[in-house]
Amino acid sequence: MAYTDTAVQETEVLIVGAGPVGLMLANILGMYGRKVVVLEAMDQLIDYPRGVGLDDESFRTIQTVGLVDTVRPHTSPQHIMRLVNGAGKVILTNNPKTDEFGWDRKHSFIQPEVDKALYEGLARFDNVEVHFGHRVENVEEDANGVTAIALVSQDDDTLVERRFRAQYLVGCEGGKSPTRKRMGVSFEGESPSTRWLVVDVNNDPLGTPNVFLGADPKRPYVSIGLPHAVRRWEFMLLDHETEEQVTDPEFVNQMLKDHVPDPASLDYIRRRVFTHHGRIAGTFRKGHQLIAGDAAHLMPVWMGQGWNSGMRDATNLGWKLASVISGQASDSLLDTYTDERSEHAKSMIDLSMTFGSVIKLTNPAAVVARDTASSVLNLFPQVKSYFSDMRFKPMPRYTKGVLVDPSTRTAGTAKGRIISKMIPVLTANNTVSPVGVQFPQYRFNSEAGKNLLLDDVVGNWWTVIVWGNNPKDVLPEASLEKLRGLGAKLVAIVPETQREWAEKYMDEEITVLGDHTGRMKKWFDDRPTPMIFLRPDRFVAGACLNQHGPATLDAILSALKFKDGTGAPADQVPAGVRGSSY
């Protein structure tokens, strides 16, 4: 029997699911001072590994919410992946060494420990609560928000029905998401019939780091060295092999006999069968309910992008919810969440599915063709580096949303190239538009310290960056007033040789950064865009010549659904914003 608690707990955002995506979104909203309640059906966090790959974009978000020091001990950077054929010969190596976003491109990690760090990070915020053992049974939506009804088990086995009221609800409850089902949106894609056995063990009996993808036609496999001496194997199962059969210890030991000298002595964490999925929701938002992470998209494990795609969702959605709830932007801003995230999630699903089909080939002729083609392609340095540097991975590029076309200054859309007959564009080394992509994070010197990462200096909200010039000298007062309403930070980046002079010349409202490595100068030298409007999620909303700054800003405010183009009241800037110049 269920008893109803007549009290209704009020909050601003309800997050259903205390997995990594829900926890990260709660950290972002907590950082911005928003009131959040997280409801989790389970009694505690999941304590076994699931995801194993953490990329540089996700680490940048972890940096933004101030949890790098608690997460890094549970990671291994420069996680190399090698694809080997049935004879054990390496046919492809993936070892990207770029760090344009401030962190190594790939890390392995122990998900339970990182999830725990995200959960414990919420203790910093008085405005965030997490309730375990709360299973959301129903959601009532009206014009002003949602009311969630959760069932809570008591010690005497009775159930109490609790109600929570919020402006928005975000479902982060995984691939079977009840929120997505309540929204009534499609979940299109594939669920291949191929099943896999995943085996995790403690006290890694091999000790070798990194990842081996075994494209063995007899039985494709994966072997992954993880932090804290954890090792994972995955084996493709044959159609006639039942789950009961393959999880039997003797069967697992037989699977591992070619990998480990003594499988029977292993310290097993889990043995579990799973099926890869490639699915995406038709929309990520409907009214006052939204979905993120696996609730919005499922992808095979091959590229290690399931966990990271969820982090991208939280990074994109968090600042938008904060903007709407604070009154700075209208509710329609949330429609850009699907516009911006759906296409890239679909691209990652397609890539993962394709990569998986290459690994799990069992037809002898197809295997020979694959291995032969790989051997030939590896003879060409450009092709080899294409795979080694992971340039085949599609980086997020938003073409519709909170951005402005650099050629036409049209609000809400941005083409991939800058087109103009002006000399600065015609003579540029690179006319690929930086709008809609993530801005690089290099290191700088400033009054705050030496060799600092960009995000640690500029804060966690809107930023206007101007190369070699004072933003106040190239933007009129009307534009500066709008930026005050936005809560934007004004930043001048100069060569390190000019930094001390610029700090004396420019007033205290300008943050001056010295480019002591020359990497930022090279970036600006290649592009005809010395003025950058940087969103809170570090994506470029606008990029232009200085004299196009006012028009670009106005178009950004339009795309943002900014409520007062002449400058919003100070109380409409989300609380917790770090680094505002005003």
Side-chain angles (χ1 to χ4, degrees):
M1 179 178 292
Y3 298 90
T4 301
D5 184 346
T6 57
V8 179
Q9 182 172 342
E10 300 277 348
T11 190
E12 292 174 332
V13 179
L14 269 174
I15 297 174
V16 183
V21 180
L23 294 172
M24 177 56 81
L25 182 59
N27 272 280
I28 294 171
L29 290 168
M31 174 182 69
Y32 289 137
R34 304 330 312 175
K35 294 175 64 178
V36 180
V37 170
V38 182
L39 302 178
E40 169 55 51
M42 296 178 61
D43 293 329
Q44 60 184 8
L45 298 177
I46 295 175
D47 61 357
Y48 55 79
R50 285 100 69 214
V52 294
L54 192 161
D55 67 18
D56 49 354
E57 298 169 71
S58 296
F59 232 119
R60 194 172 187 179
T61 299
I62 291 167
Q63 175 193 356
T64 297
V65 298
L67 294 178
V68 165
D69 290 342
T70 56
V71 167
R72 288 191 80 183
H74 310 299
T75 67
S76 293
Q78 290 186 299
H79 207 217
I80 301 169
M81 180 187 73
R82 295 183 178 91
L83 178 63
V84 299
N85 64 16
K89 179 182 178 182
V90 176
I91 57 178
L92 184 154
T93 298
N94 174 225
N95 182 24
K97 298 173 183 173
T98 54
D99 64 348
E100 66 265 39
F101 297 142
W103 304 96
D104 288 301
R105 177 59 59 85
K106 292 177 62 182
H107 308 71
S108 64
F109 76 116
I110 299 296
Q111 185 176 341
E113 295 296 337
V114 172
D115 287 358
K116 182 181 177 183
L118 295 179
Y119 168 65
E120 292 179 346
L122 296 175
R124 301 171 293 171
F125 309 119
D126 294 336
N127 48 311
V128 178
E129 299 178 13
V130 180
H131 297 293
F132 289 100
H134 282 59
R135 187 176 74 249
V136 175
E137 288 292 301
N138 193 22
V139 174
E140 300 169 353
E141 180 171 349
D142 54 48
N144 299 313
V146 295
T147 301
I149 297 94
L151 290 181
V152 187
S153 296
Q154 304 298 296
D155 292 339
D156 60 359
D157 292 331
T158 60
L159 294 174
V160 172
E161 189 178 84
R162 296 189 63 191
R163 291 175 177 266
F164 297 85
R165 176 71 180 173
Q167 294 179 46
Y168 296 97
L169 180 149
V170 186
C172 305
E173 336 93 304
K176 297 180 180 179
S177 169
T179 301
R180 185 188 66 244
K181 294 174 183 176
R182 280 192 297 268
M183 289 166 58
V185 301
S186 62
F187 202 41
E188 300 296 330
E190 301 178 42
S191 294
S193 59
T194 307
R195 297 166 303 137
W196 292 76
L197 172 69
V198 59
V199 180
D200 292 321
V201 302
N202 286 314
N203 306 320
D204 186 350
L206 302 183
T208 57
N210 304 314
V211 183
F212 293 89
L213 301 181
D216 186 342
K218 296 178 182 178
R219 190 186 293 272
Y221 67 89
V222 182
S223 178
I224 310 173
L226 297 173
H228 306 335
V230 173
R231 177 159 293 271
R232 167 171 294 181
W233 286 277
E234 296 176 14
F235 298 96
M236 194 176 85
L237 300 178
L238 306 180
D239 291 342
H240 68 273
E241 294 171 335
T242 67
E243 182 168 351
E244 182 180 10
Q245 174 188 0
V246 301
T247 55
D248 180 81
E250 288 302 321
F251 186 93
V252 175
N253 291 346
Q254 185 67 21
M255 287 274 221
L256 289 171
K257 68 180 178 62
D258 292 332
H259 295 262
V260 184
D262 183 13
S265 66
L266 295 177
D267 179 8
Y268 288 101
I269 299 173
R270 70 165 180 165
R271 296 177 285 253
R272 177 175 171 268
V273 174
F274 69 95
T275 302
H276 294 166
H277 300 275
R279 295 183 177 276
I280 189 165
T283 181
F284 296 178
R285 187 244 175 140
K286 192 171 183 180
H288 291 266
Q289 299 185 64
L290 305 99
I291 49 177
D294 285 353
H297 41 72
L298 288 171
M299 59 190 67
V301 301
W302 302 116
M303 300 304 301
Q305 289 301 305
W307 194 91
N308 293 292
S309 291
M311 292 299 107
R312 295 186 190 102
D313 291 346
T315 305
N316 186 285
L317 181 58
W319 71 271
K320 294 176 180 178
L321 280 169
S323 298
V324 171
I325 293 169
S326 70
Q328 193 178 69
S330 71
D331 171 87
S332 59
L333 170 63
L334 299 178
D335 292 333
T336 67
Y337 169 50
T338 300
D339 292 338
E340 294 184 346
R341 284 295 305 131
S342 180
E343 183 177 347
H344 181 259
K346 178 67 164 56
S347 296
M348 290 309 309
I349 291 170
D350 291 345
L351 178 62
S352 298
M353 295 288 281
T354 300
F355 199 68
S357 66
V358 172
I359 294 170
K360 62 185 184 182
L361 286 175
T362 56
N363 179 280
V367 169
V368 170
R370 177 199 62 199
D371 294 355
T372 302
S374 299
S375 298
V376 173
L377 291 175
N378 275 322
L379 298 174
F380 298 90
Q382 285 185 323
V383 175
K384 191 172 182 178
S385 68
Y386 177 76
F387 291 102
S388 178
D389 296 338
M390 210 170 175
R391 286 185 283 122
F392 57 85
K393 172 190 170 186
M395 297 300 294
R397 171 178 282 279
Y398 303 149
T399 59
K400 181 181 179 183
V402 185
L403 33 82
V404 174
D405 189 88
S407 303
T408 64
R409 285 162 295 287
T410 302
T413 62
K415 295 181 179 179
R417 287 205 170 268
I418 304 172
I419 301 172
S420 172
K421 294 183 179 180
M422 296 192 66
I423 297 299
V425 176
L426 294 176
T427 58
N429 288 336
N430 189 346
T431 56
V432 175
S433 171
V435 174
V437 300
Q438 194 169 159
F439 193 66
Q441 180 178 212
Y442 300 139
R443 290 185 176 271
F444 302 92
N445 293 337
S446 77
E447 286 185 325
K450 302 287 187 180
N451 202 41
L452 301 175
L453 285 168
L454 174 71
D455 298 354
D456 290 338
V457 185
V458 304
N460 61 13
W461 200 238
W462 284 86
T463 305
V464 179
I465 296 174
V466 179
W467 170 262
N469 215 326
N470 185 341
K472 283 189 164 184
D473 287 346
V474 294
L475 288 170
E477 181 58 33
S479 295
L480 294 173
E481 183 64 22
K482 295 170 186 177
L483 290 170
R484 292 186 182 99
L486 188 59
K489 188 176 186 67
L490 302 182
V491 175
I493 299 181
V494 298
E496 175 63 14
T497 54
Q498 301 176 29
R499 180 172 61 86
E500 291 187 6
W501 172 86
E503 289 170 346
K504 295 176 183 177
Y505 160 66
M506 300 180 194
D507 62 46
E508 61 183 12
E509 293 182 344
I510 308 298
T511 296
V512 178
L513 302 182
D515 177 27
H516 66 293
T517 68
R519 295 180 73 180
M520 195 80 261
K521 178 177 181 290
K522 176 67 168 61
W523 190 93
F524 277 109
D525 181 58
D526 284 344
R527 297 165 177 82
T529 52
M531 181 177 289
I532 299 292
F533 294 86
L534 198 58
R535 305 181 345 176
D537 59 3
R538 314 310 185 192
F539 279 75
V540 178
C544 60
L545 297 171
N546 290 339
Q547 289 190 345
H548 284 150
T552 300
L553 173 60
D554 288 346
I556 289 171
L557 295 178
S558 176
L560 179 63
K561 323 298 181 186
F562 196 56
K563 281 196 170 181
D564 184 356
T566 63
D571 63 2
Q572 288 188 355
V573 176
V577 168
R578 298 193 304 271
S580 174
S581 297
Y582 301 100

